Amino acid sequence: MNNLSASVAADAYIHIRVIIGIILGLSLSKLLTGVAGFIQHPSRQRVYAIHMIWVGFAFVSVIHFWWFEFYLSTVERWTFGLYVFVILYASLYYLLCALLFPDKMDDYIGYGEYFMSRRRWFFGVIAAIFMMDLADTAIKGFDRFSSFGVMYPARNFIYAGVALVAIFIDNQRFQLAAAALLLFFQILWILRAFSTLG
């Protein structure tokens, strides 16, 4: 890659990084505002354990996404299609966070009823995130993709599969186990694979 094309790629990455930062900043803001609402008005809505575990999952996942998108700096050639893909991928995280904390809860008794009534959307977004993650990592190059080994695609398919199954199961024990296990393994994956850049 010559100096001019390297400079254009670097400028494109900076531009895209700013847009991603805005979307993910809004995502974190949505989560933090929602959690602060429980602290500010504890009697208004009861905390629902499954919902709060997914809030933790979303928080960890947004931070993780923000961290590993640093590797977009290795992309040598940007196209409009690639730009749109990355923006759509980042937007799924905002949608995930917005689904956890709706603007109004007037039609629901609490977060338990709300979450279960919207689980199809929520888990559909999670499945989409983990499928798009495979493409996003492939964008960063074969070496990057293969560095995670076979566990990486297996993990993504398992996460997406659990999410798709959770769409159809309203059993509270299953929902609690799925939320706790995915959060646990998400943290474990981050600590193993992304503790440092390089």
Side-chain angles (χ1 to χ4, degrees):
M1 183 164 58
N2 62 39
N3 288 341
L4 180 59
S5 58
S7 174
V8 170
D11 289 345
Y13 167 68
I14 291 169
H15 175 71
I16 291 164
R17 189 176 65 184
V18 169
I19 303 297
I20 290 173
I22 291 168
I23 295 169
L24 298 180
L26 291 170
S27 303
L28 289 178
S29 175
K30 192 76 174 169
L31 291 178
L32 295 174
T33 301
V35 171
F38 288 127
I39 298 167
Q40 294 166 345
H41 307 287
S43 61
R44 186 177 295 172
Q45 294 291 343
R46 288 180 53 201
V47 172
Y48 175 59
I50 295 169
H51 172 257
M52 288 307 294
I53 293 170
W54 284 118
V55 168
F57 177 87
F59 183 79
V60 167
S61 296
V62 168
I63 292 171
H64 174 223
F65 177 81
W66 213 330
W67 179 256
F68 77 73
E69 285 307 272
F70 169 82
Y71 292 101
L72 287 175
S73 62
T74 63
V75 175
E76 296 181 358
R77 185 171 177 270
W78 282 95
T79 64
F80 184 71
L82 192 54
Y83 167 75
V84 170
F85 171 82
V86 172
I87 298 305
L88 287 175
Y89 182 28
S91 298
L92 285 176
Y93 283 94
Y94 178 79
L95 184 56
L96 188 73
C97 297
L99 285 168
L100 285 167
F101 288 108
D103 293 332
K104 292 184 179 180
M105 289 284 294
D106 300 344
D107 297 334
Y108 304 96
I109 295 170
Y111 276 96
E113 182 188 4
Y114 166 76
F115 180 80
M116 294 307 288
S117 73
R118 291 292 173 263
R119 71 180 187 277
R120 288 173 177 81
W121 279 98
F122 181 77
F123 291 121
V125 170
I126 287 180
I129 283 172
F130 283 100
M131 289 300 93
M132 288 186 80
D133 182 63
L134 293 170
D136 181 75
T137 303
I139 288 167
K140 295 161 189 158
F142 177 76
D143 289 342
R144 183 80 192 144
F145 193 97
S146 61
S147 70
F148 297 119
V150 71
M151 281 302 297
Y152 169 64
R155 162 199 172 254
N156 282 38
F157 282 111
I158 289 168
Y159 277 38
V162 169
L164 292 174
V165 169
I167 288 173
F168 302 102
I169 298 178
D170 62 0
N171 179 278
Q172 297 294 303
R173 288 184 181 179
F174 172 84
Q175 290 288 337
L176 182 61
L181 286 172
L182 262 61
L183 174 58
F184 174 75
F185 285 113
Q186 182 74 338
I187 292 170
L188 207 61
W189 174 262
I190 292 167
L191 292 176
R192 186 185 76 84
F194 289 101
S195 58
T196 61
L197 291 174

